[in-house]
Amino acid sequence: MLADGRLPTGGHTQSAGLEPAVRAGLGADGKQLADVGEYARDRLRTVTRIEAAVAVLARHHVPRTLEAGPDLEAITNGPTEVAQAVAGEEAAVVMARRFAQLESAWAARTPSRALRTASRRQGRAYLRLAERVWPETLRYLPRDGEIARPIVIGVIGAVTGLSAEQVARLVAYDDAQTVVAASLKLLPVDPAGAVTWLAALHDDIERLVNDVAPLTDIEKIPAGGAPLIDQFAEQHAIERMRLFHA
């Protein structure tokens, strides 16, 4: 369900940065359409890898025994934090602090304000959907909060029983298919060619999954940047005529 392009989370309003890239010349005049596949591959190596890692970490921070509610030992990593919590800090507060730290780590690796805003807007849409379909999500995240999309996806993944590999693959596939789907609206693309680009990204997606799925430490989140994608996003945010929000 989470990988379905019809999911009402605002994904149809996003092009994963392809629209501003096209404005900047990608696939100009239909002569370099293969650049779309390379653009999606570059995202998988940089910004998408960061988001997938953050989603995996968010999943990791949700207690494994969901039926029992937030478990103090499951959301703390050391005796010092456990002692602090036992001394009076509620488990929910510990978890909220962990998610705040994770969002700060994500924001530090996402320098574009436009990209951060778009991600939080999508996160809010995912959270609204989760409230209806997977209400247990609200045990770990505030209702209608503007939280980075990968964090919301990670928590939903934990609540629905997805593995770390499945969460990472979901983020990677969703990003790649967003680029490919947007190309059909922005460029003179043969739909069969678009499907071929997506299929060709399979190995890149699986490499991303293998790299980020084992992560349990915030400090290990990758920090590969894509300055042109950031620049395109900032320019796109002030465009008066645009098809996609970002």
Side-chain angles (χ1 to χ4, degrees):
M1 290 177 67
L2 284 168
D4 192 324
R6 296 169 296 179
L7 196 69
T9 57
H12 57 283
T13 69
Q14 311 295 313
S15 71
L18 183 65
E19 184 174 12
V22 169
R23 286 180 182 271
L26 185 146
D29 300 323
K31 297 177 181 178
Q32 298 173 314
L33 296 181
D35 288 350
V36 174
E38 287 305 312
Y39 173 79
R41 183 169 285 111
D42 287 341
R43 286 185 60 88
L44 289 171
R45 293 168 179 161
T46 55
V47 295
T48 311
R49 185 174 296 264
I50 293 170
E51 293 224 332
V54 171
V56 166
L57 265 291
R59 173 195 172 277
H60 174 71
H61 287 324
V62 174
R64 298 282 78 83
T65 308
L66 299 174
E67 296 78 7
D71 175 61
L72 195 57
E73 292 186 10
I75 61 174
T76 54
N77 285 338
T80 301
E81 263 193 319
V82 172
Q84 290 174 345
V86 171
E89 190 172 29
E90 294 291 337
V93 175
V94 176
M95 190 179 300
R97 187 174 71 245
R98 282 299 180 83
F99 286 140
Q101 292 172 343
L102 187 55
E103 180 136 354
S104 293
W106 163 80
R109 293 162 173 79
T110 310
S112 166
R113 177 178 294 183
L115 290 181
R116 295 196 302 270
T117 299
S119 180
R120 287 173 175 140
R121 190 167 294 173
Q122 283 187 286
R124 185 178 185 181
Y126 267 103
L127 199 51
R128 284 180 170 178
L129 177 73
E131 182 177 1
R132 298 288 299 275
V133 184
W134 306 287
E136 304 96 313
T137 305
L138 297 184
R139 292 165 61 182
Y140 309 100
L141 295 173
R143 176 179 279 105
D144 210 24
E146 289 202 356
I147 302 164
R149 171 177 168 270
I151 294 177
V152 179
I153 289 177
V155 174
I156 292 175
V159 167
T160 56
L162 297 182
S163 68
E165 290 80 6
Q166 287 173 313
V167 167
R169 188 174 294 111
L170 167 66
V171 173
Y173 169 78
D174 183 63
D175 193 85
Q177 69 87 19
T178 296
V179 171
V180 171
S183 73
L184 295 172
K185 300 178 181 179
L186 295 167
L187 294 165
V189 174
D190 180 346
V195 173
T196 300
W197 296 333
L198 188 57
L201 294 169
H202 173 78
D203 290 345
D204 298 271
I205 290 173
E206 290 307 304
R207 275 193 291 271
L208 180 152
V209 171
N210 292 334
D211 288 346
V212 307
L215 295 180
T216 58
D217 183 354
I218 289 179
E219 298 301 322
K220 300 297 184 181
I221 296 173
L228 272 180
I229 291 178
D230 294 336
Q231 180 180 326
F232 292 160
E234 292 298 314
Q235 180 61 39
H236 191 64
I238 60 175
E239 290 284 352
R240 298 184 62 184
M241 300 291 291
R242 55 187 181 179
L243 183 60
F244 294 96
H245 179 267

